[in-house]
Amino acid sequence: MLNGKLHLAPITAKPQNVLDIATGTGIWAIEFADLHPSAFVIANDLSPVQPGLVPPNVVFEVDDANEEWTYSRKFDLIHCRQHHSAIEERRLFEQSFHFLKPGGWLEMQELGNPIRSDDSSLSPDSALHQWSNNLLDATRRINQATDKPQHYASWMREAGFVNVQMREYKWPTNTWPKRQKEKMMGMWNLENVLDGLHGFTMGLFTRVLGWSPESVEVLLMDVRKDLYNRRIHAYWPM
Ligand SMILES: C[S@@+](CC[C@H](N)C(=O)[O-])C[C@H]1O[C@@H](n2cnc3c(N)ncnc32)[C@H](O)[C@@H]1O
């Protein structure tokens, strides 16, 4: 999506301290540490799933980013990609502001809901549309709405940030776009969504919305068909 760049924030050439929140596999932190030998990268996550063989300038910490941060240093860059509403953003922005050096940057890269299309090819009656709207509804009910990235810029300003910029990208549902780059992104996205679909639907639909597991399975069968359907020109705003 970013043509191979790891971030868009115009950080200094030799950043010293960098924090990656909700690092997951740690891939971003490892690549950043490799590219910037000057930097010391702290990367946290609730789960210790990161590899052991990593560059010497990256350290992984098990931490809950929703708790009060206790870092003994301030950062040039704080990065958080795809936490998917697991972290309460306004608090995250306030804590980030506090733990950035003057002139430091916070960069969020996050996916929004609901899924959209610009040419009405995503019908409101489609399983995909219904799934996306119900998912958003469920996340709203548990106060972890997945449409919050649209508010990030104003929440960042409220937290004290200046020079806030928002860039919007599109993640196609499959290979429907004409251009090669978007086609490729659609291919990866389809793979990613199909892999996680059951996992990130079942709990929300049964425990929050009260659906039976059987009716979720039935919906997901049609959602998968829509996800493969190249006549549906849908995308996630990113
Ligand atoms: C989709 S993955 C992130 C992937 C990673 N940032 C990347 O871009 O490659 C979301 C991660 O958020 C982590 N997470 C969820 N809640 C968290 C919290 N409160 N504090 C820290 N990490 C959290 C999960 O354990 C999971 O690894």
Side-chain angles (χ1 to χ4, degrees):
M1 182 179 80
L2 301 180
N3 295 319
K5 289 188 201 146
L6 288 175
H7 56 86
L8 296 176
I11 56 170
T12 55
K14 291 201 171 166
Q16 292 174 326
N17 292 294
V18 174
L19 176 63
D20 185 30
I21 307 277
T23 194
T25 63
I27 187 170
W28 186 93
I30 293 169
E31 290 184 0
F32 189 96
D34 270 337
L35 265 179
H36 299 275
S38 69
F40 177 66
V41 183
I42 299 179
N44 70 28
D45 203 286
L46 284 177
S47 321
V49 294
Q50 301 77 30
L53 199 61
V54 295
N57 55 334
V58 57
V59 58
F60 292 115
E61 294 181 346
V62 174
D63 213 350
D64 181 345
N66 283 316
E67 296 294 320
E68 188 161 348
W69 298 4
T70 54
Y71 300 107
S72 56
R73 65 188 79 217
K74 295 216 171 182
F75 300 95
D76 300 284
L77 172 66
I78 297 178
H79 169 266
C80 180
R81 185 172 72 178
Q82 307 267 46
H83 69 96
H84 299 328
S85 281
I87 302 167
E88 204 282 297
E89 286 97 337
R90 275 189 261 216
R91 182 127 192 271
L92 170 66
F93 298 165
E94 282 164 15
Q95 301 215 71
S96 296
F97 189 78
H98 179 76
F99 278 97
L100 279 168
K101 295 177 192 169
W105 293 87
L106 166 67
E107 180 157 335
M108 303 292 297
Q109 297 182 11
E110 194 56 60
L111 180 131
N113 271 305
I115 197 166
R116 304 180 194 154
S117 73
D118 293 335
D119 61 1
S120 307
S121 59
L122 178 67
S123 146
D125 303 331
S126 66
L128 186 55
H129 193 271
Q130 287 176 19
W131 167 78
S132 174
N133 280 359
N134 276 303
L135 189 93
L136 178 56
D137 179 31
T139 57
R140 277 189 181 133
R141 291 191 200 192
I142 57 167
N143 217 11
Q144 286 183 279
T146 46
D147 64 348
K148 291 191 283 182
Q150 58 184 322
H151 304 298
Y152 280 7
S154 62
W155 292 348
M156 283 182 190
R157 288 190 190 97
E158 281 171 23
F161 286 93
V162 292
N163 194 3
V164 179
Q165 298 186 29
M166 164 142 151
R167 306 267 163 84
E168 193 175 311
Y169 298 82
K170 296 175 182 180
W171 275 13
T173 38
N174 59 39
T175 56
W176 64 259
K178 287 206 173 65
R179 294 198 327 193
Q180 199 51 41
K181 178 181 166 188
E182 280 75 24
K183 226 183 232 317
M184 180 68 87
M185 282 167 53
M187 190 180 79
W188 282 110
N189 193 26
L190 176 63
E191 189 64 26
N192 195 29
V193 174
L194 288 175
D195 197 37
L197 188 66
H198 190 274
F200 50 70
T201 305
M202 194 51 92
L204 286 169
F205 277 55
T206 55
R207 294 200 295 273
V208 182
L209 299 181
W211 289 38
S212 68
E214 293 77 20
S215 36
V216 178
E217 299 288 3
V218 171
L219 175 75
L220 289 186
M221 271 166 32
D222 289 330
V223 172
R224 286 189 193 96
K225 282 185 202 150
D226 285 353
L227 284 169
Y228 277 114
N229 186 343
R230 296 184 67 243
R231 287 191 306 261
I232 299 178
H233 302 156
Y235 65 88
W236 275 270
M238 179 70 192

